[in-house]
Amino acid sequence: MPGRRPIHDTHVEQPGLAVVEVAAADDATVFAVQDLLAANYAIAPGDRTVREPGEPGVRLRLFLDLRQEPDAEAGR
């Protein structure tokens, strides 16, 4: 995908690690999904959305770690 950083081996090198990309019509929706994930899982939250030319909506990438408990401070 143009404009997106590649996913490196370290992002998914162990079981329980995942890269999640959320696509939605607007920023409010992708950040709401991120907040839902942060309430249940340890995440490295995304801080800005990306709008790809010619593609509908916006995208947000975040990193998920199922091996850890969620951090109350992990939300936006």
Short mmCIF file of all heavy atoms in Angstrom, two decimals:
data_model
loop_
_atom_site.label_atom_id
_atom_site.label_comp_id
_atom_site.label_asym_id
_atom_site.label_seq_id
_atom_site.Cartn_x
_atom_site.Cartn_y
_atom_site.Cartn_z
N MET A 1 0.85 -1.17 0.00
CA MET A 1 0.00 0.00 0.00
C MET A 1 0.90 1.23 0.00
O MET A 1 1.76 1.37 0.87
CB MET A 1 -0.89 -0.03 1.24
CG MET A 1 -1.82 1.15 1.32
SD MET A 1 -2.86 1.13 2.80
CE MET A 1 -3.70 -0.39 2.59
N PRO A 2 0.73 2.15 -0.94
CA PRO A 2 1.56 3.34 -1.00
C PRO A 2 1.43 4.18 0.28
O PRO A 2 0.36 4.29 0.85
CB PRO A 2 1.00 4.11 -2.20
CG PRO A 2 0.18 3.15 -2.95
CD PRO A 2 -0.26 2.09 -1.99
N GLY A 3 2.54 4.75 0.72
CA GLY A 3 2.51 5.62 1.88
C GLY A 3 2.51 4.92 3.23
O GLY A 3 2.57 5.56 4.26
N ARG A 4 2.43 3.61 3.26
CA ARG A 4 2.41 2.87 4.52
C ARG A 4 3.78 2.28 4.79
O ARG A 4 4.44 1.78 3.88
CB ARG A 4 1.39 1.73 4.48
CG ARG A 4 -0.04 2.17 4.34
CD ARG A 4 -0.51 3.03 5.45
NE ARG A 4 -0.44 2.32 6.71
CZ ARG A 4 -0.81 2.83 7.86
NH1 ARG A 4 -1.25 4.04 7.93
NH2 ARG A 4 -0.72 2.12 8.95
N ARG A 5 4.19 2.31 6.04
CA ARG A 5 5.44 1.67 6.42
C ARG A 5 5.27 0.16 6.32
O ARG A 5 4.19 -0.36 6.61
CB ARG A 5 5.81 2.05 7.85
CG ARG A 5 6.13 3.52 8.01
CD ARG A 5 6.30 3.85 9.45
NE ARG A 5 5.01 3.55 10.10
CZ ARG A 5 4.78 3.59 11.38
NH1 ARG A 5 5.73 3.91 12.20
NH2 ARG A 5 3.59 3.30 11.88
N PRO A 6 6.33 -0.53 5.96
CA PRO A 6 6.23 -1.99 5.89
C PRO A 6 6.11 -2.60 7.28
O PRO A 6 6.51 -2.00 8.27
CB PRO A 6 7.54 -2.41 5.22
CG PRO A 6 8.48 -1.28 5.45
CD PRO A 6 7.64 -0.03 5.56
N ILE A 7 5.55 -3.79 7.33
CA ILE A 7 5.49 -4.56 8.57
C ILE A 7 6.79 -5.34 8.66
O ILE A 7 7.13 -6.10 7.76
CB ILE A 7 4.28 -5.50 8.58
CG1 ILE A 7 3.00 -4.68 8.52
CG2 ILE A 7 4.30 -6.40 9.81
CD1 ILE A 7 1.76 -5.50 8.30
N HIS A 8 7.55 -5.14 9.72
CA HIS A 8 8.83 -5.81 9.90
C HIS A 8 8.65 -7.11 10.69
O HIS A 8 7.69 -7.27 11.43
CB HIS A 8 9.83 -4.90 10.62
CG HIS A 8 10.16 -3.68 9.84
ND1 HIS A 8 10.95 -3.71 8.71
CD2 HIS A 8 9.80 -2.39 10.01
CE1 HIS A 8 11.07 -2.49 8.23
NE2 HIS A 8 10.37 -1.67 8.99
N ASP A 9 9.62 -8.00 10.54
CA ASP A 9 9.59 -9.28 11.25
C ASP A 9 9.39 -9.09 12.75
O ASP A 9 8.69 -9.87 13.39
CB ASP A 9 10.87 -10.07 11.01
CG ASP A 9 11.00 -10.57 9.58
OD1 ASP A 9 9.97 -10.58 8.87
OD2 ASP A 9 12.11 -10.96 9.19
N THR A 10 10.01 -8.06 13.33
CA THR A 10 9.91 -7.86 14.78
C THR A 10 8.49 -7.57 15.23
O THR A 10 8.14 -7.82 16.37
CB THR A 10 10.83 -6.72 15.25
OG1 THR A 10 10.50 -5.53 14.53
CG2 THR A 10 12.28 -7.07 15.04
N HIS A 11 7.65 -7.05 14.32
CA HIS A 11 6.27 -6.75 14.68
C HIS A 11 5.45 -8.01 14.94
O HIS A 11 4.44 -7.96 15.64
CB HIS A 11 5.59 -5.93 13.59
CG HIS A 11 6.20 -4.58 13.39
ND1 HIS A 11 6.27 -3.98 12.15
CD2 HIS A 11 6.76 -3.71 14.25
CE1 HIS A 11 6.85 -2.81 12.27
NE2 HIS A 11 7.16 -2.61 13.53
N VAL A 12 5.86 -9.12 14.33
CA VAL A 12 5.09 -10.37 14.45
C VAL A 12 6.02 -11.57 14.68
O VAL A 12 5.67 -12.69 14.33
CB VAL A 12 4.21 -10.59 13.19
CG1 VAL A 12 3.11 -9.56 13.12
CG2 VAL A 12 5.03 -10.59 11.92
N GLU A 13 7.14 -11.35 15.32
CA GLU A 13 8.14 -12.41 15.45
C GLU A 13 7.78 -13.50 16.45
O GLU A 13 8.36 -14.58 16.44
CB GLU A 13 9.51 -11.83 15.80
CG GLU A 13 9.61 -11.29 17.20
CD GLU A 13 10.95 -10.63 17.49
OE1 GLU A 13 11.83 -10.66 16.63
OE2 GLU A 13 11.10 -10.11 18.59
N GLN A 14 6.81 -13.25 17.33
CA GLN A 14 6.43 -14.23 18.34
C GLN A 14 4.93 -14.42 18.35
O GLN A 14 4.18 -13.50 18.02
CB GLN A 14 6.88 -13.75 19.72
CG GLN A 14 8.37 -13.58 19.87
CD GLN A 14 8.71 -12.99 21.23
OE1 GLN A 14 7.93 -13.05 22.16
NE2 GLN A 14 9.89 -12.42 21.32
N PRO A 15 4.48 -15.62 18.76
CA PRO A 15 3.03 -15.82 18.89
C PRO A 15 2.45 -14.80 19.88
O PRO A 15 3.08 -14.47 20.89
CB PRO A 15 2.92 -17.24 19.46
CG PRO A 15 4.17 -17.91 19.02
CD PRO A 15 5.24 -16.84 19.06
N GLY A 16 1.30 -14.27 19.56
CA GLY A 16 0.65 -13.29 20.41
C GLY A 16 0.86 -11.85 19.98
O GLY A 16 0.23 -10.94 20.50
N LEU A 17 1.75 -11.62 19.01
CA LEU A 17 1.96 -10.27 18.47
C LEU A 17 1.23 -10.13 17.15
O LEU A 17 1.19 -11.07 16.34
CB LEU A 17 3.45 -10.01 18.24
CG LEU A 17 4.35 -10.06 19.45
CD1 LEU A 17 5.81 -9.82 19.04
CD2 LEU A 17 3.92 -9.04 20.49
N ALA A 18 0.62 -8.98 16.93
CA ALA A 18 -0.13 -8.77 15.68
C ALA A 18 -0.07 -7.30 15.27
O ALA A 18 0.05 -6.42 16.11
CB ALA A 18 -1.59 -9.19 15.86
N VAL A 19 -0.17 -7.09 13.99
CA VAL A 19 -0.33 -5.75 13.44
C VAL A 19 -1.78 -5.66 12.99
O VAL A 19 -2.27 -6.53 12.26
CB VAL A 19 0.61 -5.51 12.24
CG1 VAL A 19 0.38 -4.13 11.63
CG2 VAL A 19 2.06 -5.69 12.65
N VAL A 20 -2.48 -4.64 13.44
CA VAL A 20 -3.90 -4.48 13.12
C VAL A 20 -4.06 -3.17 12.35
O VAL A 20 -3.58 -2.12 12.79
CB VAL A 20 -4.76 -4.43 14.41
CG1 VAL A 20 -6.22 -4.21 14.07
CG2 VAL A 20 -4.57 -5.69 15.22
N GLU A 21 -4.70 -3.26 11.22
CA GLU A 21 -5.01 -2.05 10.46
C GLU A 21 -6.53 -1.92 10.40
O GLU A 21 -7.21 -2.83 9.95
CB GLU A 21 -4.41 -2.12 9.06
CG GLU A 21 -4.55 -0.79 8.34
CD GLU A 21 -3.65 -0.70 7.13
OE1 GLU A 21 -2.45 -0.45 7.31
OE2 GLU A 21 -4.15 -0.90 6.02
N VAL A 22 -7.01 -0.78 10.87
CA VAL A 22 -8.44 -0.51 10.91
C VAL A 22 -8.77 0.46 9.79
O VAL A 22 -8.11 1.49 9.65
CB VAL A 22 -8.85 0.10 12.27
CG1 VAL A 22 -10.34 0.38 12.32
CG2 VAL A 22 -8.43 -0.82 13.41
N ALA A 23 -9.78 0.15 9.01
CA ALA A 23 -10.25 1.04 7.95
C ALA A 23 -11.69 1.43 8.27
O ALA A 23 -12.49 0.58 8.67
CB ALA A 23 -10.18 0.34 6.59
N ALA A 24 -11.99 2.72 8.15
CA ALA A 24 -13.34 3.21 8.42
C ALA A 24 -13.58 4.50 7.65
O ALA A 24 -12.66 5.05 7.04
CB ALA A 24 -13.53 3.45 9.91
N ALA A 25 -14.80 4.98 7.72
CA ALA A 25 -15.17 6.18 6.97
C ALA A 25 -14.53 7.44 7.54
O ALA A 25 -14.27 8.39 6.80
CB ALA A 25 -16.70 6.35 6.97
N ASP A 26 -14.23 7.45 8.86
CA ASP A 26 -13.72 8.69 9.45
C ASP A 26 -12.80 8.40 10.64
O ASP A 26 -12.74 7.28 11.14
CB ASP A 26 -14.87 9.59 9.90
CG ASP A 26 -15.81 8.90 10.89
OD1 ASP A 26 -15.39 7.96 11.58
OD2 ASP A 26 -16.98 9.32 10.96
N ASP A 27 -12.10 9.44 11.08
CA ASP A 27 -11.16 9.32 12.20
C ASP A 27 -11.86 8.87 13.48
O ASP A 27 -11.34 8.04 14.22
CB ASP A 27 -10.47 10.67 12.47
CG ASP A 27 -9.43 11.03 11.42
OD1 ASP A 27 -9.27 10.30 10.43
OD2 ASP A 27 -8.76 12.06 11.62
N ALA A 28 -13.03 9.43 13.76
CA ALA A 28 -13.73 9.10 15.00
C ALA A 28 -13.99 7.60 15.10
O ALA A 28 -13.84 7.01 16.18
CB ALA A 28 -15.04 9.88 15.10
N THR A 29 -14.33 6.98 13.99
CA THR A 29 -14.63 5.55 14.01
C THR A 29 -13.38 4.71 14.24
O THR A 29 -13.39 3.80 15.07
CB THR A 29 -15.34 5.12 12.71
OG1 THR A 29 -16.51 5.92 12.54
CG2 THR A 29 -15.70 3.65 12.72
N VAL A 30 -12.28 5.01 13.55
CA VAL A 30 -11.08 4.20 13.75
C VAL A 30 -10.53 4.38 15.16
O VAL A 30 -10.06 3.41 15.77
CB VAL A 30 -9.98 4.45 12.69
CG1 VAL A 30 -10.41 3.97 11.32
CG2 VAL A 30 -9.50 5.85 12.65
N PHE A 31 -10.61 5.59 15.72
CA PHE A 31 -10.12 5.79 17.09
C PHE A 31 -11.05 5.11 18.11
O PHE A 31 -10.59 4.65 19.16
CB PHE A 31 -9.91 7.26 17.40
CG PHE A 31 -8.67 7.82 16.74
CD1 PHE A 31 -8.75 8.85 15.84
CD2 PHE A 31 -7.41 7.29 17.02
CE1 PHE A 31 -7.61 9.37 15.23
CE2 PHE A 31 -6.27 7.79 16.42
CZ PHE A 31 -6.37 8.83 15.52
N ALA A 32 -12.34 5.02 17.82
CA ALA A 32 -13.26 4.30 18.69
C ALA A 32 -12.92 2.81 18.70
O ALA A 32 -12.93 2.16 19.75
CB ALA A 32 -14.71 4.52 18.26
N VAL A 33 -12.59 2.25 17.54
CA VAL A 33 -12.19 0.84 17.46
C VAL A 33 -10.88 0.65 18.23
O VAL A 33 -10.73 -0.32 18.99
CB VAL A 33 -12.07 0.38 15.99
CG1 VAL A 33 -11.43 -1.01 15.91
CG2 VAL A 33 -13.42 0.39 15.32
N GLN A 34 -9.94 1.57 18.06
CA GLN A 34 -8.68 1.48 18.80
C GLN A 34 -8.93 1.49 20.31
O GLN A 34 -8.33 0.71 21.05
CB GLN A 34 -7.76 2.63 18.41
CG GLN A 34 -6.47 2.65 19.21
CD GLN A 34 -5.50 3.68 18.71
OE1 GLN A 34 -4.65 3.33 17.90
NE2 GLN A 34 -5.61 4.92 19.16
N ASP A 35 -9.83 2.35 20.77
CA ASP A 35 -10.15 2.42 22.20
C ASP A 35 -10.75 1.10 22.70
O ASP A 35 -10.45 0.64 23.80
CB ASP A 35 -11.11 3.57 22.49
CG ASP A 35 -10.46 4.93 22.34
OD1 ASP A 35 -9.19 5.01 22.28
OD2 ASP A 35 -11.19 5.93 22.26
N LEU A 36 -11.59 0.47 21.89
CA LEU A 36 -12.16 -0.83 22.26
C LEU A 36 -11.06 -1.89 22.40
O LEU A 36 -11.08 -2.68 23.33
CB LEU A 36 -13.18 -1.29 21.22
CG LEU A 36 -14.52 -0.56 21.20
CD1 LEU A 36 -15.33 -0.96 19.98
CD2 LEU A 36 -15.29 -0.85 22.48
N LEU A 37 -10.12 -1.89 21.46
CA LEU A 37 -9.02 -2.85 21.54
C LEU A 37 -8.14 -2.57 22.76
O LEU A 37 -7.72 -3.48 23.46
CB LEU A 37 -8.18 -2.82 20.26
CG LEU A 37 -8.87 -3.41 19.03
CD1 LEU A 37 -8.06 -3.11 17.78
CD2 LEU A 37 -9.05 -4.90 19.19
N ALA A 38 -7.87 -1.29 23.04
CA ALA A 38 -7.02 -0.91 24.17
C ALA A 38 -7.64 -1.30 25.51
O ALA A 38 -6.93 -1.55 26.48
CB ALA A 38 -6.73 0.58 24.13
N ALA A 39 -8.96 -1.36 25.56
CA ALA A 39 -9.64 -1.74 26.79
C ALA A 39 -9.48 -3.23 27.10
O ALA A 39 -9.62 -3.65 28.25
CB ALA A 39 -11.12 -1.40 26.70
N ASN A 40 -9.15 -4.02 26.09
CA ASN A 40 -9.08 -5.46 26.26
C ASN A 40 -7.71 -6.08 26.03
O ASN A 40 -7.48 -7.21 26.44
CB ASN A 40 -10.08 -6.14 25.31
CG ASN A 40 -11.50 -5.81 25.68
OD1 ASN A 40 -11.97 -6.22 26.72
ND2 ASN A 40 -12.16 -5.03 24.85
N TYR A 41 -6.83 -5.35 25.37
CA TYR A 41 -5.52 -5.89 24.99
C TYR A 41 -4.45 -4.82 25.19
O TYR A 41 -4.73 -3.63 25.15
CB TYR A 41 -5.50 -6.33 23.52
CG TYR A 41 -6.59 -7.31 23.19
CD1 TYR A 41 -7.73 -6.91 22.52
CD2 TYR A 41 -6.47 -8.65 23.57
CE1 TYR A 41 -8.74 -7.81 22.23
CE2 TYR A 41 -7.48 -9.56 23.27
CZ TYR A 41 -8.61 -9.12 22.60
OH TYR A 41 -9.60 -10.01 22.31
N ALA A 42 -3.20 -5.27 25.33
CA ALA A 42 -2.07 -4.35 25.35
C ALA A 42 -1.80 -3.94 23.90
O ALA A 42 -1.63 -4.80 23.04
CB ALA A 42 -0.85 -5.02 25.95
N ILE A 43 -1.81 -2.64 23.64
CA ILE A 43 -1.56 -2.16 22.29
C ILE A 43 -0.53 -1.05 22.31
O ILE A 43 -0.32 -0.38 23.31
CB ILE A 43 -2.85 -1.65 21.59
CG1 ILE A 43 -3.35 -0.36 22.24
CG2 ILE A 43 -3.92 -2.71 21.56
CD1 ILE A 43 -4.41 0.36 21.40
N ALA A 44 0.09 -0.84 21.16
CA ALA A 44 0.87 0.36 20.89
C ALA A 44 -0.04 1.15 19.95
O ALA A 44 -0.19 0.80 18.77
CB ALA A 44 2.19 0.03 20.23
N PRO A 45 -0.72 2.16 20.46
CA PRO A 45 -1.75 2.83 19.67
C PRO A 45 -1.17 3.66 18.53
O PRO A 45 -0.05 4.14 18.60
CB PRO A 45 -2.45 3.73 20.69
CG PRO A 45 -1.44 3.96 21.74
CD PRO A 45 -0.59 2.73 21.79
N GLY A 46 -1.99 3.79 17.48
CA GLY A 46 -1.66 4.70 16.40
C GLY A 46 -2.06 6.11 16.81
O GLY A 46 -2.98 6.29 17.60
N ASP A 47 -1.36 7.10 16.29
CA ASP A 47 -1.68 8.47 16.69
C ASP A 47 -2.26 9.31 15.56
O ASP A 47 -2.74 10.41 15.79
CB ASP A 47 -0.46 9.17 17.28
CG ASP A 47 0.73 9.21 16.33
OD1 ASP A 47 0.67 8.57 15.26
OD2 ASP A 47 1.72 9.86 16.67
N ARG A 48 -2.20 8.78 14.34
CA ARG A 48 -2.79 9.54 13.23
C ARG A 48 -3.30 8.58 12.16
O ARG A 48 -2.77 7.49 12.00
CB ARG A 48 -1.80 10.52 12.64
CG ARG A 48 -0.62 9.89 11.96
CD ARG A 48 0.34 10.96 11.42
NE ARG A 48 1.53 10.33 10.91
CZ ARG A 48 1.67 9.86 9.68
NH1 ARG A 48 0.68 9.95 8.82
NH2 ARG A 48 2.78 9.29 9.30
N THR A 49 -4.31 9.02 11.47
CA THR A 49 -4.87 8.20 10.39
C THR A 49 -4.19 8.56 9.08
O THR A 49 -3.55 9.60 8.95
CB THR A 49 -6.39 8.43 10.27
OG1 THR A 49 -6.63 9.81 10.02
CG2 THR A 49 -7.12 7.99 11.52
N VAL A 50 -4.38 7.68 8.12
CA VAL A 50 -3.83 7.89 6.77
C VAL A 50 -4.99 7.80 5.79
O VAL A 50 -5.84 6.92 5.90
CB VAL A 50 -2.77 6.81 6.44
CG1 VAL A 50 -2.30 6.92 5.01
CG2 VAL A 50 -1.60 6.91 7.40
N ARG A 51 -5.01 8.71 4.86
CA ARG A 51 -6.00 8.68 3.78
C ARG A 51 -5.24 8.42 2.49
O ARG A 51 -4.38 9.20 2.11
CB ARG A 51 -6.74 10.03 3.71
CG ARG A 51 -7.89 10.03 2.72
CD ARG A 51 -8.68 11.33 2.79
NE ARG A 51 -9.31 11.54 4.08
CZ ARG A 51 -10.49 11.06 4.45
NH1 ARG A 51 -11.17 10.30 3.62
NH2 ARG A 51 -10.98 11.33 5.64
N GLU A 52 -5.53 7.30 1.86
CA GLU A 52 -4.87 6.92 0.61
C GLU A 52 -5.61 7.50 -0.58
O GLU A 52 -6.84 7.33 -0.68
CB GLU A 52 -4.80 5.39 0.48
CG GLU A 52 -3.95 4.71 1.52
CD GLU A 52 -2.47 5.01 1.39
OE1 GLU A 52 -2.01 5.40 0.29
OE2 GLU A 52 -1.76 4.86 2.40
N PRO A 53 -4.91 8.17 -1.49
CA PRO A 53 -5.57 8.71 -2.68
C PRO A 53 -6.29 7.60 -3.46
O PRO A 53 -5.74 6.52 -3.66
CB PRO A 53 -4.41 9.27 -3.50
CG PRO A 53 -3.32 9.51 -2.52
CD PRO A 53 -3.48 8.45 -1.47
N GLY A 54 -7.51 7.86 -3.83
CA GLY A 54 -8.30 6.91 -4.60
C GLY A 54 -8.96 5.82 -3.77
O GLY A 54 -9.70 5.00 -4.31
N GLU A 55 -8.69 5.76 -2.47
CA GLU A 55 -9.29 4.77 -1.58
C GLU A 55 -10.29 5.47 -0.67
O GLU A 55 -10.05 6.58 -0.22
CB GLU A 55 -8.22 4.09 -0.72
CG GLU A 55 -7.22 3.27 -1.50
CD GLU A 55 -7.82 1.99 -2.03
OE1 GLU A 55 -8.67 1.39 -1.34
OE2 GLU A 55 -7.44 1.59 -3.13
N PRO A 56 -11.41 4.81 -0.36
CA PRO A 56 -12.38 5.44 0.54
C PRO A 56 -11.93 5.42 1.99
O PRO A 56 -11.19 4.54 2.40
CB PRO A 56 -13.63 4.56 0.35
CG PRO A 56 -13.09 3.24 -0.05
CD PRO A 56 -11.83 3.51 -0.86
N GLY A 57 -12.35 6.40 2.76
CA GLY A 57 -12.15 6.41 4.20
C GLY A 57 -10.71 6.64 4.63
O GLY A 57 -9.88 7.14 3.89
N VAL A 58 -10.45 6.27 5.89
CA VAL A 58 -9.13 6.44 6.51
C VAL A 58 -8.68 5.11 7.10
O VAL A 58 -9.49 4.21 7.31
CB VAL A 58 -9.16 7.52 7.62
CG1 VAL A 58 -9.48 8.88 7.04
CG2 VAL A 58 -10.15 7.16 8.72
N ARG A 59 -7.38 5.02 7.37
CA ARG A 59 -6.81 3.80 7.96
C ARG A 59 -5.95 4.18 9.14
O ARG A 59 -5.36 5.25 9.18
CB ARG A 59 -5.96 3.06 6.92
CG ARG A 59 -6.78 2.57 5.75
CD ARG A 59 -5.92 1.77 4.79
NE ARG A 59 -6.65 1.47 3.59
CZ ARG A 59 -7.55 0.51 3.46
NH1 ARG A 59 -7.86 -0.23 4.48
NH2 ARG A 59 -8.16 0.31 2.33
N LEU A 60 -5.87 3.26 10.11
CA LEU A 60 -5.05 3.44 11.29
C LEU A 60 -4.38 2.11 11.60
O LEU A 60 -5.04 1.07 11.65
CB LEU A 60 -5.90 3.86 12.49
CG LEU A 60 -5.16 4.03 13.81
CD1 LEU A 60 -4.33 5.31 13.78
CD2 LEU A 60 -6.13 4.07 14.97
N ARG A 61 -3.07 2.12 11.78
CA ARG A 61 -2.33 0.90 12.11
C ARG A 61 -1.92 0.96 13.58
O ARG A 61 -1.45 1.98 14.06
CB ARG A 61 -1.09 0.78 11.24
CG ARG A 61 -0.33 -0.51 11.52
CD ARG A 61 0.89 -0.64 10.66
NE ARG A 61 0.51 -0.90 9.29
CZ ARG A 61 1.39 -0.98 8.29
NH1 ARG A 61 2.67 -0.81 8.51
NH2 ARG A 61 0.97 -1.24 7.07
N LEU A 62 -2.11 -0.17 14.27
CA LEU A 62 -1.66 -0.29 15.64
C LEU A 62 -1.08 -1.68 15.85
O LEU A 62 -1.26 -2.56 15.02
CB LEU A 62 -2.80 -0.01 16.62
CG LEU A 62 -4.05 -0.88 16.47
CD1 LEU A 62 -4.19 -1.77 17.67
CD2 LEU A 62 -5.25 0.01 16.32
N PHE A 63 -0.36 -1.82 16.94
CA PHE A 63 0.31 -3.08 17.23
C PHE A 63 -0.29 -3.67 18.49
O PHE A 63 -0.47 -2.98 19.49
CB PHE A 63 1.82 -2.84 17.38
CG PHE A 63 2.40 -2.22 16.14
CD1 PHE A 63 2.49 -0.85 16.01
CD2 PHE A 63 2.81 -3.02 15.08
CE1 PHE A 63 3.00 -0.28 14.86
CE2 PHE A 63 3.31 -2.45 13.92
CZ PHE A 63 3.40 -1.08 13.81
N LEU A 64 -0.61 -4.94 18.42
CA LEU A 64 -1.35 -5.64 19.48
C LEU A 64 -0.46 -6.71 20.09
O LEU A 64 0.24 -7.42 19.37
CB LEU A 64 -2.58 -6.27 18.85
CG LEU A 64 -3.56 -7.00 19.71
CD1 LEU A 64 -4.45 -6.01 20.45
CD2 LEU A 64 -4.43 -7.90 18.85
N ASP A 65 -0.48 -6.81 21.42
CA ASP A 65 0.29 -7.83 22.13
C ASP A 65 -0.67 -8.59 23.04
O ASP A 65 -1.09 -8.09 24.08
CB ASP A 65 1.40 -7.18 22.94
CG ASP A 65 2.35 -8.20 23.57
OD1 ASP A 65 1.99 -9.40 23.64
OD2 ASP A 65 3.44 -7.78 23.98
N LEU A 66 -1.05 -9.78 22.63
CA LEU A 66 -1.98 -10.61 23.39
C LEU A 66 -1.34 -11.22 24.63
O LEU A 66 -2.03 -11.75 25.49
CB LEU A 66 -2.53 -11.73 22.52
CG LEU A 66 -3.36 -11.30 21.31
CD1 LEU A 66 -3.68 -12.50 20.44
CD2 LEU A 66 -4.60 -10.58 21.73
N ARG A 67 0.00 -11.13 24.74
CA ARG A 67 0.72 -11.75 25.86
C ARG A 67 0.65 -10.89 27.11
O ARG A 67 0.95 -11.37 28.19
CB ARG A 67 2.18 -11.96 25.47
CG ARG A 67 2.37 -12.78 24.20
CD ARG A 67 3.78 -12.69 23.69
NE ARG A 67 4.15 -11.28 23.54
CZ ARG A 67 5.38 -10.84 23.32
NH1 ARG A 67 6.37 -11.70 23.24
NH2 ARG A 67 5.63 -9.56 23.19
N GLN A 68 0.29 -9.63 26.99
CA GLN A 68 0.29 -8.70 28.12
C GLN A 68 -1.11 -8.26 28.45
O GLN A 68 -2.00 -8.27 27.61
CB GLN A 68 1.12 -7.47 27.78
CG GLN A 68 2.58 -7.75 27.50
CD GLN A 68 3.32 -6.46 27.20
OE1 GLN A 68 2.99 -5.41 27.71
NE2 GLN A 68 4.30 -6.57 26.33
N GLU A 69 -1.28 -7.80 29.68
CA GLU A 69 -2.55 -7.23 30.12
C GLU A 69 -2.67 -5.81 29.53
O GLU A 69 -1.65 -5.15 29.32
CB GLU A 69 -2.59 -7.14 31.65
CG GLU A 69 -2.64 -8.48 32.32
CD GLU A 69 -3.94 -9.22 32.05
OE1 GLU A 69 -5.01 -8.60 32.05
OE2 GLU A 69 -3.85 -10.43 31.79
N PRO A 70 -3.89 -5.34 29.29
CA PRO A 70 -4.05 -3.96 28.79
C PRO A 70 -3.55 -2.95 29.81
O PRO A 70 -3.63 -3.17 31.02
CB PRO A 70 -5.55 -3.83 28.56
CG PRO A 70 -6.19 -4.95 29.29
CD PRO A 70 -5.16 -6.01 29.47
N ASP A 71 -3.06 -1.85 29.31
CA ASP A 71 -2.56 -0.74 30.14
C ASP A 71 -3.61 0.35 30.13
O ASP A 71 -4.04 0.80 29.08
CB ASP A 71 -1.25 -0.24 29.56
CG ASP A 71 -0.64 0.89 30.36
OD1 ASP A 71 -1.20 1.29 31.39
OD2 ASP A 71 0.43 1.37 29.95
N ALA A 72 -4.01 0.80 31.29
CA ALA A 72 -5.04 1.85 31.39
C ALA A 72 -4.61 3.11 30.67
O ALA A 72 -5.44 3.89 30.23
CB ALA A 72 -5.33 2.15 32.85
N GLU A 73 -3.32 3.33 30.51
CA GLU A 73 -2.82 4.52 29.83
C GLU A 73 -2.65 4.31 28.34
O GLU A 73 -2.24 5.22 27.63
CB GLU A 73 -1.47 4.93 30.43
CG GLU A 73 -1.53 5.22 31.91
CD GLU A 73 -2.43 6.39 32.23
OE1 GLU A 73 -2.38 7.40 31.51
OE2 GLU A 73 -3.21 6.30 33.19
N ALA A 74 -2.95 3.12 27.81
CA ALA A 74 -2.68 2.81 26.41
C ALA A 74 -3.63 3.48 25.44
O ALA A 74 -3.35 3.58 24.28
CB ALA A 74 -2.70 1.31 26.17
N GLY A 75 -4.78 3.94 25.90
CA GLY A 75 -5.73 4.60 25.01
C GLY A 75 -5.15 5.88 24.43
O GLY A 75 -4.08 6.31 24.81
N ARG A 76 -5.87 6.49 23.52
CA ARG A 76 -5.41 7.70 22.86
C ARG A 76 -4.95 8.74 23.80
O ARG A 76 -5.29 9.32 24.64
CB ARG A 76 -6.52 8.29 22.01
CG ARG A 76 -6.41 7.92 20.63
CD ARG A 76 -7.46 8.56 19.80
NE ARG A 76 -8.77 8.39 20.39
CZ ARG A 76 -9.72 9.29 20.32
NH1 ARG A 76 -9.52 10.40 19.71
NH2 ARG A 76 -10.89 9.08 20.85
#
